[in-house]
Amino acid sequence: ELPPTSQAALLRVLQEGEVVPLGADRPVRVDVRVITATHRDLDAEVSAGRFRADLRARLLGFQLALPALRDRREDLGLMVAALLDRLAPGRALAFAADAVAALYHHSWPLNIRELERALAAAVAVAGDRIELGHLPAALTPPAEPARPDPAELPPAQRELFEQLQALMSRHGGNLSAIARELGKA
């Protein structure tokens, strides 16, 4: 995300080991260690001309790839505990089973920041137990669609509904088999 002019300035600092503070007219020696993080593929960014190859070479060193939160669900409990220690120090919070399921099954497209915001919202409204309703709407599973009452359907639709129910039972929910029997496959 660093603009090209800032990339050049950072490269100069890393190569020369000195900076010119604002308002100063002479450089000052610095000894720095740089830790960087990105969610971008820097090799692709270099190939596309959006990141300097010489800066990438300077920054290369020990690399640690952290998988996305959705790819390490086994760590979710530890992360929740650590975040709750920070968000609600000293509070003993319990979770309802459906809230735990919602946390576990969410895809976490925004990673740990999204988890932290979801927990912060829940902590703000929960007492000593976090319920599903305390979590942001994006984490709650969609409601099951209402099943139609066959008695309220017009006769032609009721007949089709009952036929489809019978076929679902006979074929154990196998939609391909139902389609074949109806001549739709």
Side-chain angles (χ1 to χ4, degrees):
E1 306 295 327
L2 206 57
T5 54
S6 298
Q7 289 181 35
L10 178 58
L11 179 62
R12 214 173 6 266
V13 168
L14 295 176
Q15 285 178 339
E16 305 299 325
E18 51 186 37
V19 297
V20 179
L22 285 175
D25 56 357
R26 293 203 276 166
V28 175
R29 299 282 309 154
V30 293
D31 182 18
V32 297
R33 304 295 179 265
V34 178
I35 298 174
T36 62
T38 184
H39 65 282
R40 304 218 184 244
D41 178 351
L42 282 186
D43 291 329
E45 294 294 305
V46 167
S47 295
R50 290 185 293 265
F51 199 84
R52 294 179 61 123
D54 49 356
L55 178 57
R56 170 126 172 77
R58 277 279 178 198
L59 294 174
L60 282 177
F62 176 74
Q63 293 181 5
L64 177 64
L66 292 177
L69 183 54
R70 70 184 155 276
D71 297 331
R72 38 188 189 134
R73 299 213 188 267
E74 66 277 3
D75 295 337
L76 193 60
L78 294 171
M79 286 186 260
V80 166
L83 288 170
L84 286 178
D85 280 345
R86 249 192 14 219
L87 295 169
R91 272 177 74 185
L93 291 166
F95 279 85
D98 56 354
V100 171
L103 290 172
Y104 184 79
H105 291 293
H106 187 63
S107 64
W108 301 109
L110 302 176
N111 280 312
I112 194 76
R113 288 183 186 98
E114 183 181 16
L115 175 61
E116 183 177 23
R117 298 306 341 135
L119 292 174
V123 164
V125 295
D128 58 354
R129 182 178 167 88
I130 295 177
E131 303 284 343
L132 182 61
H134 298 140
L135 295 172
L139 272 67
T140 58
E144 294 262 335
R147 296 192 65 168
D149 181 2
E152 295 177 7
L153 295 174
Q157 286 183 349
R158 185 177 330 128
E159 184 179 315
L160 177 60
F161 180 82
E162 290 168 355
Q163 178 189 16
L164 288 173
Q165 275 189 317
L167 288 169
M168 289 288 282
S169 294
R170 182 166 52 240
H171 293 288
N174 183 331
L175 297 179
S176 297
I178 294 168
R180 277 191 299 276
E181 187 169 326
L182 292 173
K184 303 286 183 187

